[in-house]
């Protein structure tokens, strides 16, 4: 929407004076800033892309994107992620590391501006859960010796930890030649 304005001034019996004309362009409000994660949850060391759902609208239709990350569920936000200015964002794998024994949640959002619409429109929040690395799952001793004529005892192995906490696909492997 473009509106034009000018002013005419009179003073008593003096001649009137018209101002120059000014055009004011009213840009449409920013809208449609929706994002989603391609993969969620992740295992430690994995990565995902956070993608735009649809196209932002409003402003001049030329958009500036800024991405932010929070480690407390979106209560506080750090500075804008350096270099993250695209419509989509793939966090570097080293920013989604989980060295704890419990799930970690990283929250992301995208702000969009356009021309004179400089007050950012914030996207929805995306929580990416990162499971800890799988640990445990090791034998108590590396070598067991049993007499051929006597049944072997139970092998002591620690329970796995980390991951999603649900373990399946137990695969036991054996070797007769030591490899």
């Amino acid at each position: 929407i473009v509106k034009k304005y000018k002013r005419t001034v009179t003073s008593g019996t003096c001649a009137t004076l018209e101002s120059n004309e000014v055009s004011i362009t009213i840009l449409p409000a920013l809208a449609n800033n929706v994002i989603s994660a391609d993969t969620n949850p992740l295992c430690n060391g994995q990565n995902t892309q956070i993608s735009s759902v649809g196209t932002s609208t409003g402003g001049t239709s030329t958009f500036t994107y800024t991405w932010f990350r929070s480690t407390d569920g979106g209560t506080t936000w750090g500075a804008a992620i350096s270099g993250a200015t695209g419509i989509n964002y793939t966090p570097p794998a080293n920013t989604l590391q989980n060295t704890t024994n419990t799930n970690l949640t990283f929250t992301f959002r995208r702000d969009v501006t356009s021309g004179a619409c400089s007050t950012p429109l914030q996207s929805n929040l995306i929580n990416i859960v990162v499971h800890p690395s799988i640990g445990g799952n090791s034998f108590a001793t590396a070598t067991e010796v049993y007499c051929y004529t006597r049944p072997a005892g139970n092998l002591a192995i620690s329970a796995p930890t980390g991951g999603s906490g649900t373990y399946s696909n137990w695969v036991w492997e054996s070797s007769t030649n030591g490899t």
Side-chain angles (χ1 to χ4, degrees), residues 84-99:
T85 58
I87 191 169
N88 301 318
Y89 176 61
T90 301
N94 65 350
T95 64
L96 297 176
Q97 291 295 309
N98 182 354
T99 57

Side-chain angles (χ1 to χ4, degrees), residues 86-169:
I87 191 169
N88 301 318
Y89 176 61
T90 301
N94 65 350
T95 64
L96 297 176
Q97 291 295 309
N98 182 354
T99 57
T100 71
N101 290 325
T102 60
N103 292 338
L104 285 181
T105 300
F106 297 93
T107 304
F108 291 87
R109 79 163 203 253
R110 179 182 72 186
D111 287 2
V112 63
T113 58
S114 179
C117 299
S118 58
T119 300
L121 174 64
Q122 292 184 358
S123 69
N124 55 305
L125 303 183
I126 293 295
N127 291 314
I128 296 179
V129 175
V130 180
H131 297 307
S133 295
I134 296 176
N137 199 39
S138 56
F139 288 101
T141 59
T143 305
E144 297 280 335
V145 178
Y146 295 98
C147 181
Y148 183 80
T149 59
R150 190 173 140 237
N154 291 331
L155 296 175
I157 188 167
S158 63
T161 60
S164 68
T166 302
Y167 308 100
S168 58
N169 299 323

